[in-house]
Amino acid sequence: MNLRNYLDKMRGNLGGNSSKREIIWSWIGGFLGISAVAWMSAWIFGGNDLTLVISSMGSSAVLVYGNVDSPLAQPRNLIGGHILSAIVGVACYKLFLDIPWLAAASAVATSIAAMHMTRTLHPPGGSTALFAVVGSRSIHDMGWNYVLLPATVGPLILLAVALLTNNISDTRSYPKRWF
C-alpha cells in the first residue's frame, strides 16, 4: 500500500442526515429512558440520589434510541456489555487499588477484550468499567453491588423503555436480534 492510499483511508465517508421523525423518536426515547433510570434511582435510594445514572447510561441511550439498527445497540450487547464490564471494572479496582492508572487502563482494555470474546461489544461498557475504578467513594463502597446497581438495573430499564418507544413508530423496529 502506498502512502496516498493509506492517507485516503482517513478521509471518511459519512452517510446522510437523520429525518426529523427519526430525531423526534430518538429524543423521546432518550428522554423517557434516562427519566425512568433517574426516577427508579431516586425511588430506590431516596431523595436526589441518582446512583443508577452513571455516565455510560447516557451513551447507551444514544445507541438504543438513536441508532436502533446497530448491532451494538441490541439487548445482548446492552445488558451483557454493561454487566461484564462492571465485573471487570470492580475486579481491576480491587486488584490494582494502589496503582490507579493501571486499574483504569486494565479495566477498559480487559472489558473490551471480554466483550469481544462474548459477542457483547457495547462501547458504553468501557465507561462502565472505567467508572468502577475512577468513580466516587460511594461507587467504590458498593463493591460487587456495582454490578447489580447500576450496571444491571440501569440497562434493563433502558431496554424496557426501548422496547416500548422504538416500536411505536412504523419506521422503527427494535430489537433486530436478541442473542
Side-chain angles (χ1 to χ4, degrees):
M1 175 186 319
N2 67 34
L3 181 60
R4 181 173 176 87
N5 288 344
Y6 178 74
L7 293 175
D8 281 347
K9 292 169 72 174
M10 296 179 200
R11 288 189 353 196
N13 183 15
L14 292 176
N17 295 331
S18 298
S19 69
K20 287 180 185 172
R21 183 179 181 140
E22 189 67 18
I23 293 168
I24 290 168
W25 280 112
S26 296
W27 186 93
I28 290 169
F31 180 84
L32 293 176
I34 296 299
S35 292
V37 172
W39 179 85
M40 183 65 76
S41 187
W43 183 70
I44 291 172
F45 298 106
N48 294 321
D49 190 326
L50 298 179
T51 299
L52 293 179
V53 188
I54 58 176
S55 61
S56 56
M57 293 303 120
S59 302
S60 290
V62 171
L63 284 168
V64 300
Y65 308 117
N67 196 0
V68 299
D69 296 335
S70 170
L72 305 174
Q74 302 311 305
R76 173 190 178 100
N77 300 68
L78 171 67
I79 305 301
H82 279 291
I83 292 172
L84 190 59
S85 295
I87 292 168
V88 168
V90 172
C92 287
Y93 174 74
K94 290 180 177 291
L95 283 170
F96 305 115
L97 181 62
D98 295 330
I99 314 169
W101 70 266
L102 183 58
S106 297
V108 174
T110 306
S111 71
I112 292 169
M115 287 186 287
H116 267 302
M117 289 187 297
T118 58
R119 297 180 308 117
T120 59
L121 190 64
H122 185 66
S127 180
T128 297
L130 184 61
F131 195 63
V133 173
V134 302
S136 67
R137 180 162 181 83
S138 64
I139 293 298
H140 295 152
D141 288 346
M142 292 178 85
W144 293 106
N145 287 327
Y146 176 78
V147 176
L148 179 61
L149 295 169
T152 299
V153 173
L156 284 172
I157 294 169
L158 292 179
L159 175 59
V161 173
L163 291 170
L164 295 171
T165 60
N166 286 336
N167 291 305
I168 293 172
S169 169
D170 58 353
T171 62
R172 287 178 163 218
S173 172
Y174 181 83
K176 298 300 179 198
R177 64 172 167 71
W178 281 92
F179 295 100

